[in-house]
Amino acid sequence: MGTSWQVQGASVRGKSHVVSGAPNQDAMGKAALAWGACVAVADGHGNKLHFRSQHGARLAVDEALSQFQKMGGERPSEAALLECGRLISDNWRAQVLAHLGAQPVGAEEVAGLDAEARAVLDRQPEVAYGATLLAVAATGDWVAYLQLGDGDILSVDESGAARR
């Protein structure tokens, strides 16, 4: 495509994470493209069942930026955005399964889980990587929003009015 992009991001580890020794389970990234820019944030679920959510969040952000970059500068249709979301989800799951293959779940990771939670992981091991993704791509002419999970994106206009 001739477009170069670079993932850039920073994260802040909250006080409760510092005190408990828990890792930051969130990720963010942005990419400046020849046709515009995109940004993505992922909130790792972070409870005992989602013990690898910091990895899931990073994979989600990286995949969202990659898919937005592939869209090019044309205004995407709703169908194209839905397909983009499907690709992000499918590719995220494939990457999670590859990560699990390279780094199988250890006994210490599931030590605090009850039988029901372990059964969930047996059926759907990707649950350990749970994260919510919010992503936006924009040019001077259009803005596209993408949400996977339970987050909300608010748009604020020039008058200060916010809307979902």
Side-chain angles (χ1 to χ4, degrees), residues 127-142:
V127 167
Y129 293 75
T132 295
L133 174 69
L134 304 173
V136 178
T139 70
D141 298 323
W142 56 264

Side-chain angles (χ1 to χ4, degrees), residues 59-60 62-63 90-100 129:
L59 292 171
D62 292 348
E63 186 60 31
D90 289 352
N91 292 343
W92 174 85
R93 186 171 190 281
Q95 291 173 39
V96 162
L97 294 176
H99 188 266
L100 277 165
Y129 293 75

Side-chain angles (χ1 to χ4, degrees), residues 54-156:
Q54 73 271 23
H55 299 295
R58 178 82 266 146
L59 292 171
V61 165
D62 292 348
E63 186 60 31
L65 295 177
S66 176
Q67 291 302 322
F68 272 153
Q69 187 255 347
K70 293 175 185 175
M71 286 174 34
E74 298 297 316
R75 175 185 224 113
S77 65
E78 185 173 337
L81 283 174
L82 289 171
E83 177 65 8
C84 181
R86 187 193 63 74
L87 287 169
I88 291 168
S89 180
D90 289 352
N91 292 343
W92 174 85
R93 186 171 190 281
Q95 291 173 39
V96 162
L97 294 176
H99 188 266
L100 277 165
Q103 296 181 21
V105 173
E108 67 284 351
E109 291 178 295
V110 296
L113 299 180
D114 61 23
E116 184 179 335
R118 287 176 189 235
V120 168
L121 289 173
D122 286 343
R123 287 189 311 274
Q124 293 181 291
E126 65 274 15
V127 167
Y129 293 75
T132 295
L133 174 69
L134 304 173
V136 178
T139 70
D141 298 323
W142 56 264
V143 178
Y145 305 94
L146 183 69
Q147 171 186 331
L148 298 173
D150 63 354
D152 286 317
I153 297 176
L154 300 177
S155 175
V156 180

